């Protein structure tokens, strides 16, 4: 069971566009909503309305600041869920066979009836994709909405993972990354999709599309500004007289340098 | 990593217990009857007590038996099987020694090998994890095995052998600390590779996914107490290795003083190993912390 399949018929996964993601967290909420009501144990919360709330989530959105050597910093919103790795360390470390990778589509799942909640799979995952549910005592992880994508009771448009269906920015794409002619594979090829922590040797199926380079922000943002240059630098008239008169009085004036 | 008491107690006690059982299996000391009973009681008490403690960190301990099924890929499963086999074989051997005045040499040898194999498989659970560079080193199994052999010799009353093994284990401990301190940096994993954004500039965690804590942070990002790491290392090394060696090498006249010294040596070693194991977990940094800008 915990032996990884040498190859899978499909490599279903997600392509996440870091250029388009606006960091709204809608995917986080829709994931929690769908997966707490469907496949497996609900995603519990602890102290949800108290001083120290926390809970189980299968998808979380980080935000990073990237400061290039020159120019302005860029903010990158960064959704992270299970990457359904080809060489998934979480599967082989499982002592009970509860964790497995499906031969037909490559989805990594947990059979919650067999999980003893030892947590070793979460220890072995470099991406933090697995969380132990405190109420249920079993490991929870992204199922790629296995209960949606093949579900003929749903309209065809809904047969994609909940996060993909929900994303208002179109930053999440679902498909077969094992098929070079699929839309997602073409997208990855075109946008130079990347792996997270490739040095870990996990061969993630999910790919991330890097943010496109931003236009340079010039020092002078408004091209009309030079035409609106102020006529005089210092105050004149009554205000000018008052300014000079107050300067002459003994004592410290705050503000100006005069 | 979160230094869970259950896992610290487990690795410390079972390491010592299986170490002692290995010596008993090899016939050091070749005890029988009541004396054997006491030795085996200590050995089994430590080994079984440690294993029981380890089940306390499970979310579903009632299903623990399932952990014996996946020995083909899982070091945790292999550890479970080795432990059960070692306890069964050494149990039979103990019956011979205690009740029948017999030492079944081959059975004892097998028990000793299985006992050491259990300690090795325990160490491999940690060593296999690429996500924790401080553990993902060949020195980790060497550390566990040297501790177990030294502690076992101490408990088995091997007063000629024990000081030398303690010195070896102490040297391994120092090497492990020195190499472990470099491990994360030399693993090549950083916020740059974690986010894939490193070639654009310096990456900084700007905002975490949630304002509260979560399972990942509680389990993998433990920073409390790391600031005392150096002091604790001194305690671990002094108690675990220096003091026991001094106790064993101190010239004593009476048999009472000798036994008292041995008891002090055992207790000091136990305390030292507990501190060392606490550091083993508390100082281990999981790469997932990088996504939170933490270590």
């Amino acid at each position: 069971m915990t032996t990884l399949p040498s190859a899978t018929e499909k490599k279903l996964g997600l392509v996440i566009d870091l250029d388009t993601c606006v960091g709204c967290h809608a995917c986080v909420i829709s994931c929690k909503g769908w997966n707490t009501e469907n496949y497996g144990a609900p995603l519990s919360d602890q102290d949800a309305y108290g001083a120290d709330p926390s809970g189980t989530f299968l998808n979380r959105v980080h935000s990073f600041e990237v400061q290039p050597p020159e120019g302005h910093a860029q903010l990158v919103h960064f959704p992270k869920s299970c990457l359904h790795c080809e060489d998934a360390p979480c599967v082989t470390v499982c002592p009970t066979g509860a964790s497995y990778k499906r031969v037909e589509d490559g989805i990594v799942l947990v059979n919650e009836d067999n999980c003893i909640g030892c947590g070793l799979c979460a220890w072995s995952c470099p991406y933090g994709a697995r969380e132990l549910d405190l109420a249920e005592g079993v490991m929870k992880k992204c199922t790629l909405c296995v209960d949606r994508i093949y579900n003929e009771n749903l309209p065809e448009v809904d047969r994609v993972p909940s996060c993909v269906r929900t994303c208002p920015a179109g930053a999440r794409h679902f498909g077969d990354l094992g098929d070079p002619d699929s839309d997602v594979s073409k997208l990855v090829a075109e946008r130079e999709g990347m792996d997270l922590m490739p040095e870990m040797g996990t061969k993630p199926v999910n790919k991330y599309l890097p943010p496109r380079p931003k236009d340079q922000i010039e020092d002078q943002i408004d091209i009309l500004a030079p035409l609106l240059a102020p006529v005089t630098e210092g105050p004149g008239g009554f205000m000018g007289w008052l300014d000079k008169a107050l300067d002459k009085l003994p004592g410290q004036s705050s503000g100006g340098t005069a | 990593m979160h230094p869970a008491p259950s896992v610290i107690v487990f690795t410390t006690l079972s390491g010592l217990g299986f170490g002692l059982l290995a010596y008993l299996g090899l016939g050091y000391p070749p005890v029988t009857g009541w004396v054997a009973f006491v030795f085996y009681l200590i050995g089994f008490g430590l080994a079984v007590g440690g294993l029981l403690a380890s089940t306390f960190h499970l979310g579903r301990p009632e299903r623990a038996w399932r952990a014996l099924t996946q020995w083909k890929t899982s070091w945790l499963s292999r550890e479970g099987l080795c432990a059960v086999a070692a306890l069964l074989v050494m149990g039979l051997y103990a019956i011979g020694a205690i009740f029948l005045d017999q030492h079944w040499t081959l059975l004892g040898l097998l028990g000793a090998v299985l006992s050491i194999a259990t300690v090795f498989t325990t160490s491999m659970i940690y060593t296999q994890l690429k996500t924790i560079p401080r553990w993902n080193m060949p020195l980790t199994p060497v550390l566990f095995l040297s501790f177990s052999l030294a502690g076992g010799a101490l408990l088995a009353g091997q007063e000629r052998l024990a000081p030398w093994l303690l010195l070896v284990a102490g040297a391994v401990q120092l090497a492990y600390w020195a190499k472990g301190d470099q491990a994360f940096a030399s693993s090549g994993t950083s916020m740059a590779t974690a986010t894939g954004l490193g070639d654009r500039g310096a990456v900084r965690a700007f905002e975490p996914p949630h304002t509260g804590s979560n399972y990942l942070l509680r389990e993998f990002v433990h920073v409390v107490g790391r600031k005392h790491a150096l002091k604790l290392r001194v305690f671990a090394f002094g108690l675990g290795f220096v003091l026991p060696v001094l106790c064993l090498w101190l010239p004593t006249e009476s048999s009472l003083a000798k036994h008292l010294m041995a008891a002090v040596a055992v207790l000091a070693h136990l305390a030292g190993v507990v501190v060392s194991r606490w550091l083993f977990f508390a100082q281990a940094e999981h790469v997932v912390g990088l996504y939170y800008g933490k270590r």
Side-chain angles (χ1 to χ4, degrees), chain B residues 36 44 57 62 71 91 114 116 120 140 174 189 196 224 238 260 266 292:
Chain B
F44 279 104
H57 87 284
E62 75 278 11
W71 50 271
L114 285 169
I116 295 303
F120 176 69
T140 306
L174 291 180
T189 298
V224 184
L260 209 64
V266 167
Y292 292 84

Side-chain angles (χ1 to χ4, degrees), chain B residues 21 40 84 151 232 254 259 277 279:
Chain B
L21 289 178
Y40 283 104
V84 169
L232 288 170
S254 70
H259 277 95
R277 274 302 135 75
L279 286 167

Side-chain angles (χ1 to χ4, degrees), chain A residues 147-226:
Chain A
D147 49 356
R148 283 176 72 101
I149 58 177
Y150 300 113
N151 192 339
E152 291 182 357
N153 295 320
L154 295 177
E156 202 166 340
V157 69
D158 285 334
R159 288 180 214 161
V160 291
S162 183
C163 56
V164 175
R165 184 78 181 90
T166 299
C167 180
R172 305 178 70 97
H173 308 271
F174 165 71
D176 180 8
L177 287 142
D179 172 7
D181 296 324
S182 68
D183 287 349
V184 281
S185 294
K186 284 181 197 161
L187 194 57
V188 170
E190 193 183 309
R191 294 275 307 280
E192 294 179 352
M194 59 185 182
D195 289 347
L196 304 186
M197 290 192 200
E199 71 279 5
M200 285 281 158
T202 51
K203 291 193 257 169
V205 169
N206 284 15
K207 303 286 179 216
Y208 283 76
L209 306 179
R212 293 183 178 94
K214 292 281 184 258
D215 280 348
Q216 289 303 307
I217 303 171
E218 304 294 333
D219 286 338
Q220 183 61 268
I221 293 173
D222 187 351
I223 54 164
L224 291 175

Side-chain angles (χ1 to χ4, degrees), chain A residues 38-58:
Chain A
N38 292 280
Y39 182 98
L43 303 171
S44 72
D45 290 318
Q46 280 71 41
D47 197 18
Y49 303 100
D52 186 22
S54 75
T56 312
F57 285 80
L58 310 183

Side-chain angles (χ1 to χ4, degrees), chain A residues 1-3 18 25 28 52-55 57 60-69 74-76 78 80 91-97 112-120 122-128 130-132 134 136-139 194-201 210-213, chain B residues 1-2 7 57-61 63-77 125-126 128-133 135 187-191 193-197 200-210 212-216 218-220 281 286-288 290-293:
Chain A
M1 280 282 262
T2 52
T3 313
L18 297 179
H25 292 237
V28 177
D52 186 22
S54 75
F57 285 80
R60 293 180 186 267
V61 179
H62 297 251
S63 297
F64 296 107
E65 178 199 72
V66 183
Q67 176 64 64
Q74 190 178 353
L75 190 63
V76 180
F78 198 96
K80 190 161 58 59
V91 171
T92 51
V93 299
C94 176
T96 68
E112 293 174 7
D113 291 336
N114 283 4
C115 176
I116 57 173
C118 68
L120 192 56
W123 290 20
S124 75
C125 173
Y127 310 110
R130 288 172 168 249
E131 301 190 14
L132 190 78
L134 289 186
E136 209 64 30
V138 295
M139 197 54 72
M194 59 185 182
D195 289 347
L196 304 186
M197 290 192 200
E199 71 279 5
M200 285 281 158
R212 293 183 178 94
Chain B
M1 298 295 291
H2 170 62
V7 185
H57 87 284
L58 298 182
R60 290 282 189 161
R63 298 175 185 161
W65 63 271
R66 287 187 187 275
L68 301 176
T69 59
Q70 302 301 313
W71 50 271
K72 274 187 191 168
T73 65
S74 170
W75 280 107
L76 180 51
S77 191
I125 295 172
Y126 304 108
Q128 67 178 337
L129 298 171
K130 277 190 193 165
T131 48
I132 302 161
W135 293 351
S187 75
T189 298
S190 60
M191 281 185 83
T193 67
T195 59
L197 300 168
R200 298 161 172 268
V203 183
R204 183 171 78 91
F206 184 78
E207 200 175 31
H210 293 82
S213 188
N214 63 35
Y215 167 76
L216 301 170
R218 285 190 297 265
E219 187 80 355
F220 301 124
F281 288 97
H286 195 292
V287 294
V288 78
L290 293 169
Y291 286 107
Y292 292 84

